[in-house]
Structures are given as C-alpha cells and as structure tokens.
Amino acid sequence: MSVGPRCVFCVEGAARWVHWLDVENVEYAPRDIAPACVRCERLYQAGDDDALVAVRERAWEQVQPGVDYNLRIRLAAYRRADLGAIPLTEWWPPGVAELVAQGFTPLEDLTGDFEIASEWPEPHRRWVPETRSGWEEVWDDGRCWLVRSPWPAMSVVEVVALLWQWVSAHRHQPPRSGSGRAEDEEAQRVLVRQFLHAEESWALDFKGEH
C-alpha cells in the first residue's frame, strides 16, 4: 500500500508533485497546495481536461448529470489559481526524503492529529525541523514528525486506521455536565499509548476483529 499525500485529482495515486495555489483569487481552491500523482500531473500538463474529469468522476463514483460540468469548473479554477509546481521532495523540509527512503512516513500524510507523535514508540519515530512557510503553526513543537509501523506484520497505514478504531471504541462519553478538555485529551493519550505500545500479537488479534 502506497503512502503519501493523495492526488487531488484521482484521490488514489500518491502525490509526486505539489502545485501552489493562489486561494485568494479563486473560489474553488480550498487550500494553498494541490498534490498530484505522476499520471494526473502528466494529464494536467498536457491540458487533457477530459481525462482528468474522467479519473475524478471514477474516484467520486459520481458519473451522473451535472457532475461533469461542476468538475470542469473546479479544474478551471485550479488552473487559474496555479502558481507553479515543484517535486514533492523539494516541498518537504530537508531530511524528510532521506527518512522516507528508510521506511518512515510523514505523520501529516496519515492523520490530522499530530499529538500522537509524542506517544509513538521512540524507535519508530523521527523528526526534522519544520521549515515550510506557515507550517510552524501546524506543529506546536516546530518539528515535522515521521513514523513507521511498530509491528513488522502491519503497515503504518493499517496501524493508524486501527489506532483510531481502538480509540473510538474505548473512549468514554463525557458526563452531561461536560468534562474538561484537558481530561479528554489525557484520556485519549492514554488510549493511544496503550495501543501503540502493545505486543504485535495483540495488534494482529485486534486487526482480525475488524
């Protein structure tokens, strides 16, 4: 299973290019970057909008009246907002590409909850200084974290998916009067820690149940 940011067009391929978007000048660009896989980048650069719309329709499973027109509007918006593309490896902070080659995955490509980095088993996590503009606000500690699976028999993508299933199944509902945010966050950290530091045999058993 491939890892990395998903292509904004097909939603399947791992991104290899990053397009900068001028979000202030276009309504349909929801963020300032648009990742693209090799295939979709080739279609995009060739101006083959028919093919790009087709792969997007397949990804959304929305081949129905009106969808084609809306997708073309969004694609045209991306083109207007496009400020240029760079290889994904150049967008990453220095040192990330080397760690990816060693089997680590940027945590940002796996989940939006970056706080789990502190609970990830130390032998299976790494970090580099965050150097991307604006991202210093994303990482509270100014570090770009990368992780790998703590269990050889399971991919890191599977680990994160099962982790949130475990947390969701065992998180206690707060009382009606409400509970403090600090207590809720600590309870989640405990569950994350329990899961990530369990034996591989237990993790495989849990995987088999889901």
Side-chain angles (χ1 to χ4, degrees):
M1 181 180 296
S2 61
V3 296
R6 300 293 92 192
C7 174
V8 72
F9 299 111
C10 68
V11 199
E12 295 177 350
R16 293 294 179 265
W17 295 86
V18 172
H19 286 258
W20 297 105
L21 300 178
D22 181 4
V23 295
E24 294 184 359
N25 293 330
V26 61
E27 178 182 357
Y28 287 99
R31 46 186 184 172
D32 61 352
I33 62 167
C37 68
V38 172
R39 178 189 63 171
C40 291
E41 177 68 14
R42 184 169 60 249
L43 295 174
Y44 181 85
Q45 294 298 340
D48 193 345
D49 289 0
D50 289 341
L52 285 173
V53 168
V55 297
R56 186 63 173 173
E57 284 182 330
R58 287 196 296 271
W60 283 3
E61 298 181 350
Q62 290 182 325
V63 182
Q64 52 185 309
V67 172
D68 181 281
Y69 174 74
N70 289 329
L71 290 177
R72 289 181 186 277
I73 289 178
R74 290 179 178 272
L75 181 55
Y78 272 113
R79 289 193 184 280
R80 290 196 302 272
D82 193 354
L83 299 175
I86 60 173
L88 178 66
T89 52
E90 293 182 16
W91 179 67
W92 281 332
V96 169
E98 290 79 4
L99 290 171
V100 168
Q102 297 173 29
F104 291 88
T105 298
L107 189 58
E108 66 203 48
D109 297 344
L110 299 168
T111 179
D113 191 335
F114 302 150
E115 293 183 0
I116 67 173
S118 62
E119 306 302 335
W120 206 275
E122 189 168 351
H124 303 288
R125 64 178 181 178
R126 299 287 188 275
W127 65 270
V128 299
E130 180 55 74
T131 59
R132 294 169 293 185
S133 177
W135 279 73
E136 65 276 3
E137 300 176 1
V138 176
W139 302 98
D140 293 337
D141 57 4
R143 300 176 177 182
C144 175
W145 285 95
L146 300 92
V147 298
R148 66 185 178 190
S149 173
W151 306 303
M154 198 179 299
S155 74
V156 70
V157 175
E158 292 174 310
V159 170
V160 172
L162 289 172
L163 165 63
W164 294 128
Q165 290 181 24
W166 164 263
V167 170
S168 177
H170 293 83
R171 181 190 290 123
H172 296 295
Q173 295 296 323
R176 289 190 176 183
S177 59
S179 61
R181 177 176 172 80
E183 287 84 351
D184 291 341
E185 291 180 348
E186 178 57 28
Q188 176 165 304
R189 280 196 293 269
V190 169
L191 290 171
V192 169
R193 190 180 311 123
Q194 289 175 343
F195 181 89
L196 292 174
H197 291 265
E199 296 292 332
E200 182 179 54
S201 58
W202 177 90
L204 289 173
D205 287 342
F206 182 71
K207 176 184 175 182
E209 297 171 1
H210 292 76

